[in-house]
Amino acid sequence: MTPRLKEHYYKEIQPALKEQLGFKNTFQGPKVLKVVINMGLGLDGADAKIMKSTEEDLGKITGQKPTVTKFKKSVANFKTRKGTNAGLKVTLRGNKMYEFIDRLVNIALPRIKDFRGLSPKGFDKFGNYTFGIKEHIIFPEVNFDRIDKIRGLDVVIVIAAMNKDHSFALLEKLNFPFIKKGDN
């Protein structure tokens, strides 16, 4: 079964972006390629019990088993040693990506306390959008009673677009709640 957001993208968003951005072909428009979710654990990465529980939580949130990231360098000030566990990472593509974006925008982001919107300044020069989530418990898949500590997530949405404006237009059509100019 194809995800609801994927159907909506191909039937309505893609033709609307073609008209809005003035493309000759619908496939010239921006498209989401992948979503990368990263959860840094820092010193907690050495504890196997914490690592297992956060791996289960991130697996429930994304619907995919996360990979363990390792430190590349030893840094004495941060008490890190090369090769030890640093955190968890998941790369979503295809149907799982569309399902995650749909749940993120419609369910998780509105559950953030005092949420005013996402910053439109999170785009890099290639048009990819990055933002952070301070509490992973905003996702309904996570059992609030079972968690030991509230952790943050980094979400990177990789977009194939010509510039930042095209990426912004795509994410607006996908109902991302950006802060409007003038709203403080």
Side-chain angles (χ1 to χ4, degrees), residues 8-146:
H8 180 65
Y9 172 76
Y10 284 109
K11 289 182 180 174
E12 296 173 28
I13 295 174
Q14 203 174 33
L17 284 172
K18 177 190 168 197
E19 295 296 319
Q20 180 183 339
L21 302 174
F23 292 129
K24 293 179 181 177
N25 189 338
T26 54
F27 298 107
Q28 285 179 302
K31 182 179 181 182
V32 179
L33 297 178
K34 64 183 176 180
V35 175
V36 181
I37 299 105
N38 180 37
M39 181 186 280
L41 297 177
L43 297 176
D44 291 340
D47 190 352
K49 185 179 174 187
I50 293 173
M51 192 71 162
K52 187 175 185 292
S53 69
T54 53
E55 194 171 339
E56 287 174 9
D57 287 346
L58 195 57
K60 287 177 187 173
I61 289 169
T62 60
Q64 188 170 304
K65 188 176 189 277
T67 59
V68 178
T69 57
K70 307 275 186 190
F71 287 112
K72 294 178 183 172
K73 284 183 172 180
S74 296
V75 180
N77 290 342
F78 297 122
K79 297 178 184 165
T80 63
R81 185 166 268 142
K82 182 179 177 181
T84 58
N85 297 340
L88 301 166
K89 177 182 83 167
V90 178
T91 303
L92 300 173
R93 292 182 172 89
N95 289 347
K96 285 185 181 179
M97 171 187 71
Y98 284 107
E99 288 170 358
F100 176 78
I101 292 172
D102 197 13
R103 282 186 291 118
L104 176 74
V105 170
N106 296 319
I107 298 170
L109 289 178
R111 291 179 64 170
I112 296 175
K113 284 185 270 177
D114 300 330
F115 183 67
R116 291 187 176 91
L118 295 172
S119 172
K121 296 179 183 177
F123 290 94
D124 63 7
K125 65 181 179 179
F126 304 108
N128 304 322
Y129 186 64
T130 306
F131 64 97
I133 298 172
K134 291 182 182 173
E135 300 175 339
H136 76 289
I137 57 170
I138 61 168
F139 290 94
E141 296 88 4
V142 177
N143 187 356
F144 186 73
D145 299 329
R146 271 197 56 246

